[in-house]
Amino acid sequence: MTVIAIAEEVRAALAAGQGVVALESTILSHGLPPGRNRKVAERLETVVREAGAVPATIAVLDGKIRVGLDEQQIDRVCAAEGLVKLSKRDLGPAIAMKQDGATTVASTAAIAHAAGISVFGTGGLGGVHLPLPGKHSSWDVSADLDALAEIPVLVVSSGVKSVLDIEATLELLETRSVPVVGYQTGHFPAFYLRESPFALSWRVDTPQQAADVVHAHRQVPGQAGILLANPIPPEYEMDRELHDQLLADGVKLLDERGVQGRDVTPVLLEHFHTASGGVSLDANEALVVANVTLAAQIAADLAGR
């Protein structure tokens, strides 16, 4: 049984050595509200094509991993209620039980690599969670980090959300030998905010420089991917006072509801979207579009080498 179905356009682009960009589906099913998610899905595929690459949105539908979705399949991902959020560990059970699902960063990276795609544009990366109030420590660490350490894919994201332990996340990536490179920044971004307090060792300022790093990294020993940290566009950065208040209220909400694990990010995003009056939605869309555009530029440059 073939569990990975690659769309003909994606298959042809890979065979021709053309740049291809993997896109996750969790941002569509869990990160954005109905209606807006469909518009963003179309916009993401459009900016990839405009940059000279081919988009490959990934999801699990009808018991198969789909690499490259047609219009009807994207409609299903954006309209379905209760679509399961699938990390890498969940792929086997979902396929066996023919459960439709949306892929996270970890599962999208794994599927992209299996399909021969080496560039992936997304919004934010998972990381090490801070302990909730009343707890001294947390064992809640996103599978995204292990995926980056084990899968040779470039992931372009706007860092991690500030509800996470950014310092511990960066330490873990260093321990796992994952290069973290800032794009036009010397500090790690914090999703809605352009900068966190944490400095980065490496910086690039053009898509071509980023492609140079990827090209060189592929030739050195090891199997880790690369994280390219691209800050949210300046005009969409959230006001820090508003951000800090939303974050404090969001953490309190998580504690009151006893939310843990994979449910933390969707609940927190929903709180930000509702309490900010839509400001965070605009920010979320702007940063993922910027990241996917940059990923496509890099993929197009790499395809010419």
Side-chain angles (χ1 to χ4, degrees):
M1 179 179 69
T2 302
V3 297
I4 299 182
I6 303 177
E8 183 54 38
E9 181 190 21
V10 176
R11 189 183 299 277
L14 291 170
Q18 188 177 354
V20 178
V21 177
L23 304 172
E24 62 157 298
S25 45
T26 291
I27 189 173
L28 304 177
S29 62
H30 292 77
L32 295 165
R36 185 156 188 166
N37 58 359
R38 187 62 181 85
K39 292 178 181 178
V40 170
E42 183 176 354
R43 188 178 179 192
L44 294 180
E45 296 214 342
T46 297
V47 298
V48 171
R49 298 185 198 281
E50 289 175 345
V54 171
T57 303
I58 294 173
V60 175
L61 299 171
D62 304 317
K64 281 191 176 183
I65 295 170
R66 308 281 176 174
V67 179
L69 304 183
D70 61 27
E71 294 291 324
Q72 290 183 333
Q73 290 167 336
I74 292 177
D75 286 342
R76 284 175 61 183
V77 169
C78 291
E81 294 185 6
L83 202 67
V84 179
K85 186 177 178 182
L86 302 176
S87 189
K88 185 181 173 185
R89 69 171 187 174
D90 304 306
L91 293 174
I95 291 166
M97 299 177 186
K98 292 184 168 50
Q99 174 70 62
D100 291 351
T103 54
T104 64
V105 169
S107 53
T108 302
I111 293 165
H113 178 59
I117 302 168
S118 61
V119 178
F120 170 22
T122 187
L125 186 74
V128 179
H129 283 250
L130 289 163
L132 291 172
K135 296 187 177 181
H136 298 293
S137 62
S138 171
W139 287 95
D140 191 350
V141 180
S142 172
D144 295 354
L145 303 185
D146 270 355
L148 264 172
E150 298 168 355
I151 302 167
V153 170
L154 168 69
V155 177
V156 183
S157 87
S158 294
V160 301
K161 296 177 185 67
S162 46
V163 69
L164 300 176
D165 189 329
I166 298 176
E167 184 176 22
T169 298
L170 290 171
E171 288 285 353
L172 185 53
L173 289 171
E174 179 183 1
T175 299
R176 299 301 305 274
S177 297
V178 177
V180 181
V181 182
Y183 186 74
Q184 299 181 352
T185 182
H187 285 78
F188 194 66
F191 201 69
Y192 295 123
L193 302 178
R194 286 181 58 79
E195 288 189 356
S196 73
F198 304 102
L200 296 173
S201 300
W202 300 103
R203 168 181 175 149
V204 295
D205 290 292
T206 67
Q208 292 71 33
Q209 286 183 334
D212 289 342
V213 171
V214 175
H215 182 68
H217 180 70
R218 290 175 177 174
Q219 299 175 62
V220 301
Q223 60 182 6
I226 299 175
L227 176 60
L228 183 62
N230 182 34
I232 184 173
E235 63 272 27
Y236 287 97
E237 181 178 26
M238 187 176 288
D239 176 79
R240 281 187 176 265
E241 186 175 343
L242 171 62
H243 170 273
D244 292 348
Q245 185 60 56
L246 290 172
L247 180 59
D249 293 344
V251 170
K252 182 179 178 181
L253 183 67
L254 294 175
D255 182 45
E256 290 174 349
R257 295 185 182 179
V259 178
Q260 297 182 15
R262 68 172 60 192
D263 296 325
V264 166
T265 298
V267 170
L268 191 67
L269 278 177
E270 177 60 29
H271 167 70
F272 265 73
H273 297 339
T274 302
S276 71
V279 170
S280 69
L281 276 174
D282 293 338
N284 203 4
E285 179 174 345
L287 66 84
V288 72
V289 169
N291 294 339
V292 168
T293 299
L294 177 57
Q297 293 168 341
I298 297 168
D301 188 283
L302 287 169
R305 303 192 182 205

